[in-house]
Amino acid sequence: MTDPEPTVETKSTMQPLDEKLEEQMHKQLHTKEVDIYRDTFLRYMGYSNEVGEAFRPLLPKSIVAASYGMAIGYVCTDTFDKALRHQMAGGTDRQVALVGADVFTWQMFASVIIPGLTINRITAVSKTLLKKSPSFVVKTLPTLIGLISIPLIVHPIDSLVDRLMDATYRKMVR
């Protein structure tokens, strides 16, 4: 007597774990699943420190520091969410750690470090260029220039960090 042909349900449980994870990632890429941390307004939570940097000429340093706390909280939330989803999909501890490290590194560079430095420098240069202006202008105009710059830097920085991560970290862990 021959064994019956495995059913679709049986085949899916027999499928190696790596294939299941690859299939899940393929589905996510091709179904355009919305990543709430990168594809929605929540992405701008990662830029709260840039708002703090833009307001640096007007606010106490403690409030600017608090804005970094908010941005890093956003980064950690996205990292935890993606690592947990990967674990729930059956990822090994190593795979979960690699996903978490990838998300954390990407978010820190794309949401905190590079944009924070960029807005800090835009605001500082604006302030220097306006140093002969009245005090009110020297304090407020650099803040406005910094705030206006934030939406203009988001996508270029995200793309830059993607390319850097693809050329370095992601190449090493594959």
Side-chain angles (χ1 to χ4, degrees):
M1 181 172 214
T2 61
D3 290 333
E5 185 68 28
T7 64
V8 173
E9 189 175 297
T10 308
K11 283 182 184 176
S12 70
T13 58
M14 292 171 33
Q15 202 175 21
L17 185 58
D18 284 344
E19 285 179 29
K20 283 183 184 179
L21 291 172
E22 187 175 318
E23 186 178 302
Q24 180 188 10
M25 295 297 278
H26 181 75
K27 282 180 186 177
Q28 286 177 350
L29 287 173
H30 294 291
T31 58
K32 300 286 184 189
E33 185 176 309
V34 175
D35 180 346
I36 64 166
Y37 297 100
R38 294 190 190 178
D39 301 329
T40 69
F41 70 94
L42 275 180
R43 177 71 183 98
Y44 292 98
M45 280 296 296
Y47 282 78
S48 59
N49 62 307
E50 283 67 55
V51 173
E53 285 295 344
F55 276 97
R56 186 177 285 276
L58 301 173
L59 296 174
K61 289 181 182 180
S62 61
I63 294 178
V64 176
S67 72
Y68 275 86
M70 287 177 57
I72 293 169
Y74 158 84
V75 168
C76 292
T77 302
D78 186 24
T79 301
F80 178 77
D81 177 64
K82 295 225 174 46
L84 182 62
R85 286 175 189 259
H86 204 73
Q87 183 180 38
M88 291 172 63
T92 65
D93 289 345
R94 181 182 187 278
Q95 292 168 330
V96 171
L98 289 175
V99 166
D102 185 283
V103 172
F104 184 80
T105 303
W106 188 93
Q107 284 287 11
M108 283 301 291
F109 279 102
S111 299
V112 180
I113 298 168
I114 296 172
L117 180 63
T118 302
I119 297 301
N120 178 285
R121 295 295 81 206
I122 289 171
T123 305
V125 168
S126 300
K127 192 173 180 180
T128 301
L129 292 173
L130 296 166
K131 67 183 171 190
K132 293 184 180 181
S133 300
S135 174
F136 176 78
V137 172
V138 172
K139 284 192 172 198
T140 57
L141 196 54
T143 295
L144 291 174
I145 292 168
L147 289 172
I148 289 167
S149 301
I150 294 170
L152 302 175
I153 68 170
V154 174
H155 296 295
I157 290 174
D158 287 359
S159 296
L160 170 69
V161 174
D162 275 333
R163 288 193 309 274
L164 289 172
M165 293 284 293
D166 288 345
T168 58
Y169 176 81
R170 292 174 183 154
K171 221 178 223 183
M172 290 187 306
V173 299
R174 287 206 161 111

